[in-house]
Amino acid sequence: MRGLHAAAFGTLRPLSIMVEPVPVELDPPDLSRYAAGNSGIPYVMSFRASAPGPHVALNALMHGNEICGAIVLDHLLSENVRPVRGTLTFVFCNIEAYRGFDRANPTTSRYVDEDMNRVWDDGTLKSKRTSVELIRARALRPVFDTVDTLLDLHSMQDSSAPLILAGLPDKGVALARRIRSPEIIMCDRGHAAGPRLRDYAAFADPASPKTALLIECGQHWEKRTAAVAIAASYRFLAACGVLAPDKCRSVLDFTAPAQRVLAVTEAVTVTSDNFRFTVPYRGLEVIPKAGTEIARDGGRAVVTPYDDCVLVMPSLRLARGQTAVRLGRYTG
Ligand SMILES: [Zn+2]
């Protein structure tokens, strides 16, 4: 433990649990009936109400192995959920990666060529570079360019508490508070490897009313992750005013713990071919003392920069240039 005191890690699980494969409790839905879409783009379903209103979108499968989002959209479409005003769009995003989902090896279908949630900037999307993910992102761009409010559904490697990622502008936190759950609202500027859809164009502009949230609903394949995703999606749609409250009364009538804002101050980006965490963190550990070593990046010690530093979503994908972990503090 390199001098770290075990008490610093709170509810950290033992190593044996960290390395055991997580059983796939969720069933990936058959999405073939959405293949043609209904708006000219495959796997995009869009519905317009007669009453005017915002364009609200739910995005699933930015990462092909994060199947809770597909379950949500399939559920809402099966329930014939339609907007009472404005436009409601459901996007099955990285469908090529999802097609490769294999219960026996569920981690491999995150993407085909590259992480699709690192390509969302004008320069990358207009570049000559190509990949399975860029082709799909370019096809979806006209949709996202017209979206006023977006919820991007994700899940995590470890079963730490759900998070809602609100970005830096205040508008994200305000929307997250209207959804009332999850408890932790995380504010960060994203990844060095490239912008997320959540950070795309007007979504990241404090002067624009367009707002995007990314929700990490729980561990990728745990049953409860889908339940979190479905409830949060209903509350999001109700908060956006596109869903009549009586359609989702059961998920709106609940007592939620007060939300806390977790401000991410920096991302630790892998700079060597040998990055190792000092212990197997699962996320949301609070490290009491500044200067505590949390990882080795080649020969360099990675230490916490301040007291009560929170470790956010430590990654198992420790390749050079990728985000290893984000560091933050609770601000409210
Ligand atoms: Zn994801």
Side-chain angles (χ1 to χ4, degrees):
M1 276 209 174
R2 292 179 198 254
L4 294 181
H5 194 279
F9 307 111
T11 56
L12 182 65
R13 295 178 303 170
L15 180 61
S16 61
I17 295 178
M18 296 295 299
V19 297
E20 282 172 5
V22 177
V24 179
E25 298 173 352
L26 297 173
D27 292 319
D30 175 6
L31 303 179
S32 55
R33 65 193 173 116
Y34 311 119
N38 70 350
S39 56
I41 303 175
Y43 293 96
V44 175
M45 304 293 290
S46 195
F47 304 93
R48 185 187 292 252
S50 51
H55 184 185
V56 174
L58 284 168
N59 186 60
L61 297 175
M62 179 67 79
H63 296 127
N65 61 342
E66 299 179 3
I67 57 182
C68 70
I71 291 169
V72 171
L73 268 54
D74 186 47
H75 164 84
L76 295 172
L77 286 160
S78 300
E79 293 289 313
N80 291 314
V81 168
R82 300 288 184 267
V84 292
R85 65 189 183 100
T87 301
L88 175 56
T89 297
F90 303 100
V91 179
F92 297 97
C93 195
N94 194 344
I95 204 74
E96 289 300 326
Y98 178 71
R99 280 202 186 103
F101 184 80
D102 176 1
R103 298 186 81 95
N105 200 2
T107 58
T108 55
S109 56
R110 178 175 169 84
Y111 55 78
V112 177
D113 291 329
E114 62 178 314
D115 189 330
M116 193 170 176
N117 215 20
R118 304 288 184 271
V119 304
W120 295 96
D121 66 279
D122 207 49
T124 303
L125 292 168
K126 284 185 174 166
S127 72
K128 292 198 165 25
R129 195 164 71 75
T130 192
S131 68
V132 164
E133 279 74 22
L134 274 171
I135 291 168
R136 180 65 171 159
R138 287 167 183 144
L140 294 175
R141 193 178 188 189
V143 177
F144 293 126
D145 278 340
T146 65
V147 168
D148 297 300
T149 315
L150 171 78
L151 182 63
D152 190 11
L153 294 152
H154 288 251
S155 54
M156 300 180 277
Q157 295 164 354
D158 279 320
S159 47
S160 62
L163 300 166
I164 196 151
L165 278 60
L168 294 180
D170 292 342
K171 60 187 180 179
V173 173
L175 179 58
R177 288 201 185 281
R178 285 165 55 213
I179 299 173
R180 297 166 52 216
S181 180
E183 183 182 341
I184 299 175
I185 302 169
M186 187 178 121
C187 302
D188 77 329
R189 66 178 70 247
H191 302 273
R196 302 165 297 199
L197 178 59
R198 205 229 64 77
D199 309 311
Y200 172 58
F203 295 142
D205 179 359
S208 166
K210 293 190 175 191
T211 307
L213 298 173
L214 186 163
I215 183 168
E216 300 280 5
C217 298
Q219 205 285 333
H220 294 319
W221 310 298
E222 285 180 356
K223 209 160 222 166
R224 62 182 171 179
T225 301
V228 168
I230 288 173
S233 297
Y234 273 114
R235 288 197 298 274
F236 167 77
L237 296 177
C240 293
V242 296
L243 194 61
D246 61 334
K247 290 278 184 205
C248 51
R249 186 62 65 197
S250 62
V251 292
L252 295 181
D253 291 342
F254 79 117
T255 306
Q259 287 174 303
R260 294 188 291 168
V261 174
L262 173 56
V264 169
T265 57
E266 56 203 276
V268 175
T269 303
V270 178
T271 62
S272 79
D273 294 324
N274 187 20
F275 187 106
R276 295 236 168 96
F277 285 107
T278 312
V279 296
Y281 299 107
R282 64 180 289 205
L284 300 178
E285 292 88 353
V286 180
I287 308 297
K289 289 285 169 221
T292 301
E293 183 176 320
I294 56 168
R296 282 259 156 192
D297 190 2
R300 185 174 65 89
V302 178
V303 300
T304 52
Y306 40 77
D307 289 351
D308 296 325
C309 180
V310 184
L311 308 187
V312 182
M313 294 177 67
S315 179
L316 300 176
R317 292 176 297 276
L318 296 170
R320 194 188 283 255
Q322 298 299 310
T323 303
V325 64
R326 283 162 275 185
L327 307 177
R329 49 161 66 105
Y330 289 110
T331 59

